Short mmCIF file of all heavy atoms in Angstrom, two decimals:
data_model
loop_
_atom_site.label_atom_id
_atom_site.label_comp_id
_atom_site.label_asym_id
_atom_site.label_seq_id
_atom_site.Cartn_x
_atom_site.Cartn_y
_atom_site.Cartn_z
N VAL A 1631 -43.48 -26.88 22.93
CA VAL A 1631 -43.52 -27.07 24.38
C VAL A 1631 -42.10 -27.31 24.91
O VAL A 1631 -41.69 -26.76 25.93
CB VAL A 1631 -44.44 -28.25 24.75
CG1 VAL A 1631 -44.38 -28.52 26.26
CG2 VAL A 1631 -45.87 -27.95 24.32
N GLY A 1632 -41.33 -28.14 24.20
CA GLY A 1632 -39.96 -28.39 24.63
C GLY A 1632 -39.12 -27.12 24.64
O GLY A 1632 -38.29 -26.92 25.53
N GLY A 1633 -39.35 -26.28 23.65
CA GLY A 1633 -38.64 -25.00 23.62
C GLY A 1633 -39.02 -24.11 24.77
O GLY A 1633 -38.17 -23.41 25.34
N GLU A 1634 -40.29 -24.13 25.14
CA GLU A 1634 -40.74 -23.33 26.29
C GLU A 1634 -40.08 -23.80 27.58
O GLU A 1634 -39.67 -23.00 28.42
CB GLU A 1634 -42.26 -23.39 26.41
CG GLU A 1634 -42.82 -22.51 27.51
CD GLU A 1634 -42.55 -21.04 27.30
OE1 GLU A 1634 -42.60 -20.56 26.14
OE2 GLU A 1634 -42.24 -20.34 28.30
N VAL A 1635 -39.98 -25.11 27.72
CA VAL A 1635 -39.30 -25.66 28.89
C VAL A 1635 -37.86 -25.17 28.95
O VAL A 1635 -37.36 -24.75 30.00
CB VAL A 1635 -39.36 -27.20 28.89
CG1 VAL A 1635 -38.47 -27.79 29.97
CG2 VAL A 1635 -40.80 -27.68 29.07
N ALA A 1636 -37.16 -25.23 27.82
CA ALA A 1636 -35.76 -24.79 27.78
C ALA A 1636 -35.64 -23.29 28.07
O ALA A 1636 -34.74 -22.86 28.80
CB ALA A 1636 -35.15 -25.11 26.42
N ARG A 1637 -36.56 -22.50 27.51
CA ARG A 1637 -36.51 -21.04 27.75
C ARG A 1637 -36.71 -20.73 29.23
O ARG A 1637 -35.96 -19.94 29.81
CB ARG A 1637 -37.59 -20.34 26.92
CG ARG A 1637 -37.56 -18.81 27.01
CD ARG A 1637 -38.69 -18.18 26.23
NE ARG A 1637 -39.97 -18.34 26.92
CZ ARG A 1637 -40.45 -17.48 27.80
NH1 ARG A 1637 -39.75 -16.40 28.14
NH2 ARG A 1637 -41.63 -17.69 28.36
N GLN A 1638 -37.71 -21.36 29.82
CA GLN A 1638 -37.98 -21.10 31.24
C GLN A 1638 -36.81 -21.56 32.12
O GLN A 1638 -36.44 -20.91 33.09
CB GLN A 1638 -39.27 -21.82 31.65
CG GLN A 1638 -40.52 -21.27 31.02
CD GLN A 1638 -41.04 -20.02 31.71
OE1 GLN A 1638 -40.48 -19.58 32.72
NE2 GLN A 1638 -42.11 -19.45 31.17
N ALA A 1639 -36.23 -22.70 31.77
CA ALA A 1639 -35.12 -23.22 32.56
C ALA A 1639 -33.90 -22.30 32.46
O ALA A 1639 -33.21 -22.03 33.46
CB ALA A 1639 -34.77 -24.63 32.12
N LEU A 1640 -33.60 -21.83 31.24
CA LEU A 1640 -32.48 -20.90 31.08
C LEU A 1640 -32.74 -19.61 31.85
O LEU A 1640 -31.85 -19.09 32.54
CB LEU A 1640 -32.26 -20.60 29.59
CG LEU A 1640 -31.19 -19.55 29.27
CD1 LEU A 1640 -29.83 -19.99 29.80
CD2 LEU A 1640 -31.12 -19.29 27.76
N ASN A 1641 -33.95 -19.08 31.76
CA ASN A 1641 -34.27 -17.87 32.49
C ASN A 1641 -34.13 -18.06 34.00
O ASN A 1641 -33.64 -17.18 34.72
CB ASN A 1641 -35.69 -17.41 32.16
CG ASN A 1641 -35.78 -16.73 30.81
OD1 ASN A 1641 -34.77 -16.49 30.15
ND2 ASN A 1641 -36.99 -16.42 30.38
N HIS A 1642 -34.56 -19.21 34.50
CA HIS A 1642 -34.43 -19.51 35.93
C HIS A 1642 -32.96 -19.49 36.34
O HIS A 1642 -32.60 -18.92 37.38
CB HIS A 1642 -35.06 -20.87 36.24
CG HIS A 1642 -34.96 -21.26 37.68
ND1 HIS A 1642 -35.84 -20.82 38.64
CD2 HIS A 1642 -34.05 -22.05 38.33
CE1 HIS A 1642 -35.49 -21.32 39.81
NE2 HIS A 1642 -34.42 -22.07 39.64
N TRP A 1643 -32.12 -20.09 35.51
CA TRP A 1643 -30.68 -20.11 35.82
C TRP A 1643 -30.09 -18.70 35.80
O TRP A 1643 -29.30 -18.34 36.68
CB TRP A 1643 -29.96 -21.01 34.82
CG TRP A 1643 -28.47 -21.00 34.99
CD1 TRP A 1643 -27.73 -21.72 35.88
CD2 TRP A 1643 -27.54 -20.20 34.25
NE1 TRP A 1643 -26.39 -21.42 35.74
CE2 TRP A 1643 -26.25 -20.49 34.74
CE3 TRP A 1643 -27.67 -19.27 33.22
CZ2 TRP A 1643 -25.10 -19.88 34.25
CZ3 TRP A 1643 -26.54 -18.66 32.72
CH2 TRP A 1643 -25.27 -18.97 33.22
N ILE A 1644 -30.46 -17.89 34.80
CA ILE A 1644 -29.95 -16.52 34.72
C ILE A 1644 -30.33 -15.74 35.97
O ILE A 1644 -29.51 -14.99 36.53
CB ILE A 1644 -30.48 -15.82 33.45
CG1 ILE A 1644 -29.82 -16.42 32.21
CG2 ILE A 1644 -30.26 -14.31 33.51
CD1 ILE A 1644 -30.43 -15.95 30.89
N ARG A 1645 -31.57 -15.93 36.45
CA ARG A 1645 -32.04 -15.18 37.62
C ARG A 1645 -31.41 -15.66 38.92
O ARG A 1645 -31.21 -14.85 39.84
CB ARG A 1645 -33.55 -15.30 37.73
CG ARG A 1645 -34.36 -14.60 36.65
CD ARG A 1645 -35.85 -14.69 36.98
NE ARG A 1645 -36.69 -14.05 35.98
CZ ARG A 1645 -37.46 -14.69 35.11
NH1 ARG A 1645 -37.50 -16.02 35.12
NH2 ARG A 1645 -38.19 -14.02 34.24
N THR A 1646 -31.15 -16.96 39.04
CA THR A 1646 -30.86 -17.51 40.37
C THR A 1646 -29.45 -18.06 40.57
O THR A 1646 -29.03 -18.25 41.72
CB THR A 1646 -31.84 -18.66 40.68
OG1 THR A 1646 -31.64 -19.74 39.75
CG2 THR A 1646 -33.28 -18.16 40.62
N SER A 1647 -28.71 -18.32 39.50
CA SER A 1647 -27.43 -19.02 39.68
C SER A 1647 -26.36 -18.14 40.31
O SER A 1647 -25.43 -18.65 40.95
CB SER A 1647 -26.93 -19.54 38.33
OG SER A 1647 -26.51 -18.46 37.50
N GLY A 1648 -26.44 -16.84 40.09
CA GLY A 1648 -25.40 -15.95 40.59
C GLY A 1648 -24.12 -15.95 39.77
O GLY A 1648 -23.14 -15.31 40.14
N GLU A 1649 -24.13 -16.65 38.63
CA GLU A 1649 -22.90 -16.72 37.83
C GLU A 1649 -22.68 -15.46 37.00
O GLU A 1649 -21.53 -15.06 36.75
CB GLU A 1649 -22.92 -17.97 36.96
CG GLU A 1649 -22.89 -19.26 37.79
CD GLU A 1649 -22.70 -20.51 36.97
OE1 GLU A 1649 -21.86 -20.49 36.04
OE2 GLU A 1649 -23.39 -21.52 37.25
N TYR A 1650 -23.75 -14.84 36.57
CA TYR A 1650 -23.63 -13.50 35.97
C TYR A 1650 -23.40 -12.48 37.09
O TYR A 1650 -23.72 -12.74 38.26
CB TYR A 1650 -24.90 -13.15 35.20
CG TYR A 1650 -24.89 -13.60 33.75
CD1 TYR A 1650 -25.71 -14.64 33.32
CD2 TYR A 1650 -24.08 -12.97 32.81
CE1 TYR A 1650 -25.71 -15.05 31.98
CE2 TYR A 1650 -24.07 -13.36 31.48
CZ TYR A 1650 -24.88 -14.40 31.07
OH TYR A 1650 -24.86 -14.79 29.75
N ASP A 1651 -22.90 -11.32 36.72
CA ASP A 1651 -22.71 -10.25 37.69
C ASP A 1651 -24.04 -9.60 38.08
O ASP A 1651 -24.09 -8.76 38.99
CB ASP A 1651 -21.76 -9.19 37.12
CG ASP A 1651 -20.36 -9.75 36.92
OD1 ASP A 1651 -19.71 -10.09 37.92
OD2 ASP A 1651 -19.92 -9.85 35.76
N GLY A 1652 -25.06 -9.97 37.39
CA GLY A 1652 -26.41 -9.47 37.62
C GLY A 1652 -27.25 -9.84 36.42
O GLY A 1652 -26.75 -10.41 35.45
N PHE A 1653 -28.54 -9.53 36.46
CA PHE A 1653 -29.38 -9.88 35.32
C PHE A 1653 -30.37 -8.76 35.04
O PHE A 1653 -30.68 -7.93 35.89
CB PHE A 1653 -30.11 -11.21 35.55
CG PHE A 1653 -31.15 -11.19 36.63
CD1 PHE A 1653 -32.49 -10.91 36.32
CD2 PHE A 1653 -30.82 -11.45 37.95
CE1 PHE A 1653 -33.46 -10.89 37.31
CE2 PHE A 1653 -31.79 -11.44 38.95
CZ PHE A 1653 -33.11 -11.15 38.62
N VAL A 1654 -30.84 -8.76 33.79
CA VAL A 1654 -31.87 -7.85 33.33
C VAL A 1654 -33.08 -8.70 32.97
O VAL A 1654 -32.98 -9.61 32.14
CB VAL A 1654 -31.40 -7.04 32.10
CG1 VAL A 1654 -32.50 -6.11 31.63
CG2 VAL A 1654 -30.13 -6.27 32.42
N ASP A 1655 -34.22 -8.42 33.58
CA ASP A 1655 -35.38 -9.29 33.41
C ASP A 1655 -36.28 -8.78 32.29
O ASP A 1655 -37.35 -8.22 32.51
CB ASP A 1655 -36.16 -9.40 34.72
CG ASP A 1655 -36.92 -10.72 34.82
OD1 ASP A 1655 -37.16 -11.34 33.75
OD2 ASP A 1655 -37.25 -11.14 35.94
N PHE A 1656 -35.83 -9.00 31.05
CA PHE A 1656 -36.61 -8.58 29.90
C PHE A 1656 -37.93 -9.36 29.79
O PHE A 1656 -38.94 -8.83 29.33
CB PHE A 1656 -35.82 -8.74 28.61
CG PHE A 1656 -34.74 -7.71 28.41
CD1 PHE A 1656 -33.56 -8.04 27.76
CD2 PHE A 1656 -34.91 -6.40 28.84
CE1 PHE A 1656 -32.57 -7.09 27.56
CE2 PHE A 1656 -33.93 -5.44 28.65
CZ PHE A 1656 -32.75 -5.79 28.00
N GLU A 1657 -37.90 -10.63 30.19
CA GLU A 1657 -39.14 -11.41 30.13
C GLU A 1657 -40.22 -10.74 30.96
O GLU A 1657 -41.35 -10.53 30.49
CB GLU A 1657 -38.92 -12.83 30.63
CG GLU A 1657 -40.20 -13.66 30.59
CD GLU A 1657 -40.12 -14.95 31.39
OE1 GLU A 1657 -39.59 -14.92 32.52
OE2 GLU A 1657 -40.61 -15.97 30.90
N ARG A 1658 -39.92 -10.40 32.18
CA ARG A 1658 -40.90 -9.78 33.06
C ARG A 1658 -41.35 -8.42 32.52
O ARG A 1658 -42.50 -8.02 32.70
CB ARG A 1658 -40.32 -9.63 34.47
CG ARG A 1658 -41.32 -9.17 35.52
CD ARG A 1658 -40.67 -9.14 36.90
NE ARG A 1658 -40.22 -10.46 37.30
CZ ARG A 1658 -40.99 -11.36 37.89
NH1 ARG A 1658 -42.27 -11.10 38.13
NH2 ARG A 1658 -40.50 -12.52 38.25
N ALA A 1659 -40.45 -7.73 31.83
CA ALA A 1659 -40.77 -6.39 31.34
C ALA A 1659 -41.82 -6.40 30.23
O ALA A 1659 -42.59 -5.45 30.11
CB ALA A 1659 -39.50 -5.71 30.84
N VAL A 1660 -41.84 -7.49 29.42
CA VAL A 1660 -42.71 -7.46 28.23
C VAL A 1660 -43.78 -8.54 28.21
O VAL A 1660 -44.62 -8.54 27.32
CB VAL A 1660 -41.87 -7.55 26.93
CG1 VAL A 1660 -40.91 -6.38 26.83
CG2 VAL A 1660 -41.12 -8.88 26.84
N ARG A 1661 -43.79 -9.44 29.17
CA ARG A 1661 -44.78 -10.52 29.14
C ARG A 1661 -46.14 -10.00 29.60
O ARG A 1661 -46.26 -8.98 30.30
CB ARG A 1661 -44.34 -11.69 29.99
CG ARG A 1661 -44.41 -11.46 31.49
CD ARG A 1661 -43.80 -12.61 32.26
NE ARG A 1661 -43.92 -12.41 33.70
CZ ARG A 1661 -43.30 -13.17 34.61
NH1 ARG A 1661 -42.52 -14.17 34.21
NH2 ARG A 1661 -43.46 -12.93 35.90
N ASP A 1662 -47.17 -10.74 29.22
CA ASP A 1662 -48.53 -10.45 29.66
C ASP A 1662 -48.70 -11.02 31.07
O ASP A 1662 -48.59 -12.23 31.26
CB ASP A 1662 -49.52 -11.10 28.70
CG ASP A 1662 -50.97 -10.75 29.00
OD1 ASP A 1662 -51.27 -10.38 30.15
OD2 ASP A 1662 -51.80 -10.88 28.08
N PRO A 1663 -48.95 -10.18 32.08
CA PRO A 1663 -49.05 -10.72 33.44
C PRO A 1663 -50.19 -11.71 33.62
O PRO A 1663 -50.14 -12.55 34.52
CB PRO A 1663 -49.25 -9.46 34.30
CG PRO A 1663 -49.72 -8.41 33.37
CD PRO A 1663 -49.12 -8.72 32.04
N LYS A 1664 -51.21 -11.64 32.76
CA LYS A 1664 -52.33 -12.57 32.85
C LYS A 1664 -52.09 -13.85 32.05
O LYS A 1664 -52.79 -14.85 32.27
CB LYS A 1664 -53.61 -11.88 32.37
CG LYS A 1664 -54.03 -10.71 33.25
CD LYS A 1664 -55.31 -10.09 32.74
CE LYS A 1664 -55.75 -8.93 33.63
NZ LYS A 1664 -57.01 -8.30 33.12
N ALA A 1665 -51.17 -13.83 31.14
CA ALA A 1665 -50.82 -15.01 30.33
C ALA A 1665 -49.31 -14.96 30.11
O ALA A 1665 -48.84 -14.57 29.04
CB ALA A 1665 -51.57 -15.00 29.00
N PRO A 1666 -48.53 -15.30 31.12
CA PRO A 1666 -47.09 -15.00 31.13
C PRO A 1666 -46.25 -15.73 30.09
O PRO A 1666 -45.07 -15.42 29.95
CB PRO A 1666 -46.65 -15.36 32.55
CG PRO A 1666 -47.69 -16.30 33.05
CD PRO A 1666 -48.97 -15.89 32.40
N LEU A 1667 -46.83 -16.68 29.36
CA LEU A 1667 -46.06 -17.33 28.31
C LEU A 1667 -46.01 -16.49 27.03
O LEU A 1667 -45.29 -16.85 26.10
CB LEU A 1667 -46.64 -18.70 27.97
CG LEU A 1667 -46.61 -19.76 29.07
CD1 LEU A 1667 -47.04 -21.09 28.51
CD2 LEU A 1667 -45.25 -19.86 29.73
N GLN A 1668 -46.74 -15.40 26.98
CA GLN A 1668 -46.80 -14.63 25.74
C GLN A 1668 -46.48 -13.16 25.99
O GLN A 1668 -46.55 -12.66 27.11
CB GLN A 1668 -48.18 -14.76 25.11
CG GLN A 1668 -49.32 -14.18 25.95
CD GLN A 1668 -50.68 -14.56 25.40
OE1 GLN A 1668 -50.92 -15.72 25.05
NE2 GLN A 1668 -51.58 -13.60 25.34
N LEU A 1669 -46.13 -12.47 24.90
CA LEU A 1669 -45.91 -11.04 24.96
C LEU A 1669 -47.21 -10.32 25.28
O LEU A 1669 -48.29 -10.72 24.82
CB LEU A 1669 -45.38 -10.52 23.62
CG LEU A 1669 -43.95 -10.86 23.22
CD1 LEU A 1669 -43.72 -10.47 21.76
CD2 LEU A 1669 -42.95 -10.15 24.12
N LEU A 1670 -47.12 -9.25 26.04
CA LEU A 1670 -48.27 -8.38 26.22
C LEU A 1670 -48.69 -7.85 24.85
O LEU A 1670 -47.84 -7.44 24.05
CB LEU A 1670 -47.89 -7.22 27.14
CG LEU A 1670 -49.01 -6.28 27.57
CD1 LEU A 1670 -49.99 -7.00 28.51
CD2 LEU A 1670 -48.44 -5.04 28.23
N ALA A 1671 -49.97 -7.87 24.56
CA ALA A 1671 -50.44 -7.48 23.23
C ALA A 1671 -49.96 -6.09 22.84
O ALA A 1671 -49.62 -5.83 21.68
CB ALA A 1671 -51.97 -7.55 23.19
N ALA A 1672 -49.91 -5.18 23.80
CA ALA A 1672 -49.48 -3.80 23.51
C ALA A 1672 -48.01 -3.73 23.12
O ALA A 1672 -47.57 -2.71 22.57
CB ALA A 1672 -49.75 -2.90 24.71
N TYR A 1673 -47.25 -4.79 23.40
CA TYR A 1673 -45.82 -4.81 23.10
C TYR A 1673 -45.48 -5.74 21.94
O TYR A 1673 -44.31 -5.90 21.59
CB TYR A 1673 -45.03 -5.27 24.33
CG TYR A 1673 -45.08 -4.34 25.52
CD1 TYR A 1673 -44.79 -4.81 26.79
CD2 TYR A 1673 -45.42 -3.00 25.37
CE1 TYR A 1673 -44.83 -3.96 27.89
CE2 TYR A 1673 -45.45 -2.14 26.46
CZ TYR A 1673 -45.15 -2.64 27.72
OH TYR A 1673 -45.19 -1.79 28.81
N ASP A 1674 -46.46 -6.36 21.34
CA ASP A 1674 -46.25 -7.38 20.31
C ASP A 1674 -46.23 -6.73 18.92
O ASP A 1674 -47.18 -6.04 18.54
CB ASP A 1674 -47.38 -8.41 20.39
CG ASP A 1674 -47.12 -9.66 19.56
OD1 ASP A 1674 -46.30 -9.60 18.63
OD2 ASP A 1674 -47.76 -10.69 19.85
N SER A 1675 -45.16 -6.96 18.17
CA SER A 1675 -45.05 -6.40 16.82
C SER A 1675 -46.04 -7.06 15.86
O SER A 1675 -46.26 -6.55 14.76
CB SER A 1675 -43.63 -6.57 16.29
OG SER A 1675 -43.33 -7.96 16.09
N GLY A 1676 -46.59 -8.20 16.26
CA GLY A 1676 -47.53 -8.93 15.42
C GLY A 1676 -47.10 -10.35 15.11
O GLY A 1676 -47.93 -11.17 14.71
N ASP A 1677 -45.81 -10.65 15.33
CA ASP A 1677 -45.36 -12.01 15.07
C ASP A 1677 -45.23 -12.83 16.35
O ASP A 1677 -44.78 -13.97 16.32
CB ASP A 1677 -44.04 -12.01 14.28
CG ASP A 1677 -42.87 -11.41 15.07
OD1 ASP A 1677 -43.04 -11.06 16.26
OD2 ASP A 1677 -41.77 -11.29 14.47
N HIS A 1678 -45.56 -12.25 17.48
CA HIS A 1678 -45.56 -12.91 18.79
C HIS A 1678 -44.16 -13.29 19.26
O HIS A 1678 -44.02 -14.07 20.21
CB HIS A 1678 -46.47 -14.15 18.79
CG HIS A 1678 -47.82 -13.90 18.20
ND1 HIS A 1678 -48.67 -12.94 18.68
CD2 HIS A 1678 -48.45 -14.48 17.14
CE1 HIS A 1678 -49.78 -12.93 17.96
NE2 HIS A 1678 -49.68 -13.84 17.01
N LEU A 1679 -43.16 -12.71 18.62
CA LEU A 1679 -41.76 -12.96 18.99
C LEU A 1679 -41.01 -11.66 19.25
O LEU A 1679 -40.32 -11.52 20.26
CB LEU A 1679 -41.07 -13.74 17.86
CG LEU A 1679 -39.55 -13.94 18.00
CD1 LEU A 1679 -39.25 -14.84 19.19
CD2 LEU A 1679 -38.98 -14.54 16.71
N HIS A 1680 -41.15 -10.71 18.33
CA HIS A 1680 -40.40 -9.46 18.43
C HIS A 1680 -41.24 -8.36 19.06
O HIS A 1680 -42.37 -8.12 18.61
CB HIS A 1680 -39.93 -9.00 17.05
CG HIS A 1680 -39.01 -9.96 16.38
ND1 HIS A 1680 -39.44 -10.85 15.40
CD2 HIS A 1680 -37.69 -10.21 16.57
CE1 HIS A 1680 -38.41 -11.58 15.01
NE2 HIS A 1680 -37.33 -11.21 15.70
N PRO A 1681 -40.71 -7.69 20.07
CA PRO A 1681 -41.44 -6.54 20.62
C PRO A 1681 -41.52 -5.41 19.60
O PRO A 1681 -40.69 -5.30 18.69
CB PRO A 1681 -40.58 -6.13 21.83
CG PRO A 1681 -39.76 -7.33 22.16
CD PRO A 1681 -39.50 -8.02 20.85
#
Side-chain angles (χ1 to χ4, degrees):
V1631 175
E1634 184 62 38
V1635 171
R1637 184 183 74 89
Q1638 292 280 357
L1640 175 60
N1641 283 353
H1642 179 83
W1643 175 82
I1644 289 171
R1645 291 186 181 108
T1646 64
S1647 70
E1649 295 189 42
Y1650 272 109
D1651 295 295
F1653 68 92
V1654 179
D1655 207 339
F1656 286 147
E1657 180 195 43
R1658 188 176 298 275
V1660 300
R1661 73 187 182 190
D1662 185 337
K1664 296 181 179 179
L1667 296 188
Q1668 63 191 45
L1669 288 170
L1670 186 69
Y1673 294 159
D1674 192 339
S1675 67
D1677 65 4
H1678 312 303
L1679 173 67
H1680 298 101

